[in-house]
Amino acid sequence: MTMNRAMRHGGRLLAIAVAACGTAAAAAPSAAAEEQPTRQQLTADCASDEGKCTFNSPQLGEAYLGGFRQVSDSLFNCSTSDATQSMTWSDTVGSTDSVGVSVTAGGKIAGIIDLSVTASYSHSWSSTHSESSSLGMTVKPGEVGWISRAQVMQQVSGTWQTHYDSPKWGHYYWFWQDTVTGPAPNGTDGTSNAVVVKSRKMTAAEKKSCSADAHDGRAFVQQR
């Protein structure tokens, strides 16, 4: 049997197996669990190299700016005048798959996706991005300020294929669709990372803490 025929055969078996899974699950959940792997099990086999895996036909979505999140400590201003201070910040953004599982921590998943994207688009794909710097900020009396950052993000969709030397869960080949969301280089599709200073009024409890001897009439930094 040629490789193409084997892949078609494997794909047909998977389709049959998945269709059967829905029927079997209603009648015998424990038996279905033994016969059908979960996506997490298949992904774990790819990460450990127990299954020889490829990420086929990757499709990159349009880059977009992710949500803002705090990346610095907070500056509380308990004084009666503006408080100005230089604050350092750091941010690390990872990647997750379509069921919210990280593809950053260990294993070979990120490398397999990078290999596929590089072959198709002639540029590398990174599962994580880290950045740090400092920024001056001014906080009004009775307010708290911090630095927030948003990372350029991009999705890559494709089909995982795993091949076992011996049948596992009854088949040599398994296929499943996946979409991975991860950081993209700054400027991708004309979208840029953003770093901003944000502030808000102190809560009643926070204002009360200003009366403590250590904070009375002063600005102080609280670790995030």
Side-chain angles (χ1 to χ4, degrees):
M1 181 181 292
T2 66
M3 178 60 72
N4 288 337
R5 290 179 60 198
M7 289 174 63
R8 290 197 298 270
H9 183 60
R12 184 166 61 254
L13 288 176
L14 175 60
I16 294 171
V18 170
C21 179
T23 305
S30 60
E34 293 175 359
E35 296 169 1
Q36 298 294 323
T38 64
R39 284 184 50 177
Q40 287 83 353
Q41 287 174 313
L42 291 168
T43 301
D45 282 355
C46 289
S48 67
D49 210 28
E50 180 178 345
K52 297 176 177 63
C53 297
T54 55
F55 188 71
N56 303 321
S57 303
Q59 298 293 320
L60 285 174
E62 185 174 357
Y64 63 94
L65 189 62
F68 281 92
R69 60 181 185 172
Q70 184 172 347
V71 293
S72 74
D73 296 336
S74 298
L75 177 62
F76 287 79
N77 188 1
C78 295
S79 72
T80 57
S81 59
D82 290 354
T84 300
Q85 185 168 326
S86 178
M87 301 283 285
T88 59
W89 60 266
S90 62
D91 189 25
T92 297
V93 181
S95 301
T96 55
D97 67 11
S98 52
V99 292
V101 176
S102 172
V103 301
T104 306
K108 299 185 176 182
I109 297 298
I112 295 172
I113 298 173
D114 181 31
L115 183 66
S116 179
V117 171
T118 300
S120 298
Y121 291 91
S122 300
H123 66 76
S124 61
W125 176 87
S126 177
S127 65
T128 185
H129 175 79
S130 295
E131 193 170 326
S132 62
S133 187
S134 61
L135 185 66
M137 59 189 297
T138 298
V139 178
K140 296 291 185 182
E143 295 188 356
V144 53
W146 65 94
I147 299 169
S148 284
R149 179 178 182 274
Q151 169 70 40
V152 177
M153 305 293 287
Q154 193 170 29
Q155 292 185 330
V156 54
S157 300
T159 302
W160 284 102
Q161 174 191 328
T162 184
H163 169 233
Y164 294 100
D165 292 332
S166 299
K168 190 169 184 180
W169 295 292
H171 304 288
Y172 285 98
Y173 296 94
W174 289 91
F175 302 85
W176 69 101
Q177 301 293 318
D178 196 10
T179 298
V180 176
T181 303
N186 189 36
T188 301
D189 294 336
T191 306
S192 300
N193 298 328
V195 179
V196 298
V197 173
K198 293 191 174 184
S199 63
R200 61 169 175 79
K201 298 289 186 181
M202 289 188 193
T203 66
E206 290 168 343
K207 287 182 178 179
K208 188 175 180 180
S209 71
C210 282
S211 62
D213 291 340
H215 300 155
D216 189 22
R218 302 178 179 88
F220 68 94
V221 174
Q222 184 177 83
Q223 292 186 341
R224 56 170 167 156

